[in-house]
Amino acid sequence: MVGKYTGLSDSYLSVLKALLHSSVACRRKLFVDWVPASDLENETAKENPENYRNSWNLLKGADAVLVPGGFGDRGVEGKILAAKYARENRIPYLGICLGMQIAVIEYARSILGLQDANSTEFDPNTPNPCVIFMPEGSKTHMGGTMRLGSRRTYFQVKDSKSTKLFGNRSFVDERHRHRYEVNPDMVQQFEDAGLSFTGKDETGHRMEIVELPNHPYFIGVQFHPEFKSRPGKPSAVFLGLIAAACGQLDSLLKKGGAPTHVLSNGTSGEKFHRNGTTLANGSLDGIYRNGNGVHV
């Protein structure tokens, strides 16, 4: 888990629960390694080489990488490095909200050759704004200006992993919370370079799901799938991440995606507990365990 608030694990509580739901479904034990995004950056290598080394060791030892949502520019370059590592080394990756935008920025820099590509949230004057402020938003009044709540995503590619994970439906309703979006003017450029936007809103101009077709599992979603994950009914993209991490993705896709059942007593069927140790940088190395071993 590469994030900004790793010192307070409750900041990502819904994400952790979604990972747990999926690990139970895959009958695997889940280990969450907390990686402070800023500790992956070159500046940390100079100022605190031990934290830098520890964080990169955790990232390189993971079976999957997850970059959750967030705001502000602290740690953004570290998140971009994490997405780059997962893409280049074919490690399963899931980006949520900002995590999806991070994946797009990294692709623009590494594959399109736009070294100064960025989001206007972090660099308002970037000459290559691949993530932009939504046109209907207000830059002066921050209250009540987010794109919030349940919105519909229409699948664009029938043979994509995301479409299969959601049961080959034509659309899905998921919850949102964001002010920035992938620049629609650059979509064709990205797709020509191999990035596939497999989910879009009803207008076809707002990107909702992105994935790399030739990667074992590299998916970003603009929405927050963790909010609808439940015991016995895990989020489709979280389940895909865990399944890819433990070698079950192909069989999952053949079955038609995420299960939709719960046990008769409403429980997940397995108990879990949490342990915690402290890394050198003071953040928690929390472990969520249930059932037989995948590191995220």
Side-chain angles (χ1 to χ4, degrees), residues 245-278:
C246 60
Q248 298 182 18
L249 184 60
D250 288 344
S251 61
L252 176 66
L253 296 178
K254 290 177 182 177
K255 292 177 183 176
T260 58
H261 64 279
V262 294
L263 300 183
S264 59
N265 61 1
T267 67
S268 63
E270 294 191 42
K271 295 181 180 180
F272 73 96
H273 63 275
R274 174 186 170 197
N275 295 329
T277 58
T278 304

Side-chain angles (χ1 to χ4, degrees), residues 12 35 85 92 108 119 122 155 164 190 196 255 262 279 282 286 288:
Y12 302 115
V35 179
Y85 176 82
S119 166
F122 314 127
F155 293 102
K164 292 177 180 178
F190 280 115
S196 181
K255 292 177 183 176
V262 294
L279 297 178
Y288 277 71

Side-chain angles (χ1 to χ4, degrees), residues 106-172:
E106 190 281 319
Y107 204 82
R109 292 181 182 182
S110 299
I111 304 302
L112 299 185
L114 306 175
Q115 295 300 320
D116 49 10
N118 214 328
S119 166
T120 56
E121 179 181 4
F122 314 127
D123 182 3
N125 301 313
T126 176
N128 290 292
C130 50
V131 177
I132 61 172
F133 195 81
M134 291 187 298
E136 68 269 33
S138 170
K139 294 185 178 180
T140 56
H141 298 84
M142 302 306 284
T145 60
M146 282 187 177
R147 183 171 178 251
L148 292 170
S150 181
R151 308 284 177 140
R152 185 156 290 181
T153 294
Y154 291 88
F155 293 102
Q156 310 293 310
V157 182
K158 291 184 178 180
D159 197 38
S160 68
K161 293 183 182 71
S162 54
T163 304
K164 292 177 180 178
L165 285 168
F166 280 100
N168 295 302
R169 286 178 279 174
S170 58
F171 65 84
V172 64

Side-chain angles (χ1 to χ4, degrees), residues 10-21:
D10 279 1
S11 298
Y12 302 115
L13 186 59
S14 56
V15 176
L16 288 169
K17 293 295 185 182
L19 287 169
L20 176 63
H21 302 156

Side-chain angles (χ1 to χ4, degrees), residues 12-202:
Y12 302 115
L13 186 59
S14 56
V15 176
L16 288 169
K17 293 295 185 182
L19 287 169
L20 176 63
H21 302 156
S22 295
S23 65
V24 169
C26 291
R27 297 185 178 275
R28 289 294 182 269
K29 183 182 295 182
L30 177 69
F31 297 86
V32 177
D33 294 321
W34 298 96
V35 179
S38 57
D39 282 359
L40 297 172
E41 298 172 1
N42 292 333
E43 195 65 29
T44 301
K46 301 173 185 176
E47 297 177 355
N48 196 325
E50 185 178 0
N51 283 359
Y52 178 82
R53 184 171 57 253
N54 288 343
S55 294
W56 272 103
N57 285 341
L58 285 175
L59 182 64
K60 291 179 179 180
D63 300 301
V65 176
L66 192 155
V67 177
F71 296 92
D73 60 359
R74 180 167 64 87
V76 163
E77 293 301 321
K79 294 175 185 178
I80 291 173
L81 288 169
K84 179 182 177 70
Y85 176 82
R87 180 182 59 79
E88 291 183 341
N89 291 277
R90 300 178 67 78
I91 305 298
Y93 174 91
L94 175 61
I96 299 172
C97 198
L98 176 59
M100 167 184 164
Q101 297 169 8
I102 288 294
V104 171
I105 295 170
E106 190 281 319
Y107 204 82
R109 292 181 182 182
S110 299
I111 304 302
L112 299 185
L114 306 175
Q115 295 300 320
D116 49 10
N118 214 328
S119 166
T120 56
E121 179 181 4
F122 314 127
D123 182 3
N125 301 313
T126 176
N128 290 292
C130 50
V131 177
I132 61 172
F133 195 81
M134 291 187 298
E136 68 269 33
S138 170
K139 294 185 178 180
T140 56
H141 298 84
M142 302 306 284
T145 60
M146 282 187 177
R147 183 171 178 251
L148 292 170
S150 181
R151 308 284 177 140
R152 185 156 290 181
T153 294
Y154 291 88
F155 293 102
Q156 310 293 310
V157 182
K158 291 184 178 180
D159 197 38
S160 68
K161 293 183 182 71
S162 54
T163 304
K164 292 177 180 178
L165 285 168
F166 280 100
N168 295 302
R169 286 178 279 174
S170 58
F171 65 84
V172 64
D173 294 319
E174 293 281 353
R175 290 167 61 182
H176 293 68
R177 189 174 185 268
H178 66 111
R179 291 192 181 95
Y180 291 81
E181 64 174 341
V182 174
N183 186 348
D185 293 337
M186 294 185 68
V187 168
Q188 191 60 55
Q189 191 175 357
F190 280 115
E191 292 194 324
D192 289 345
L195 200 60
S196 181
F197 291 97
T198 58
K200 300 180 182 180
D201 75 343
E202 68 279 359

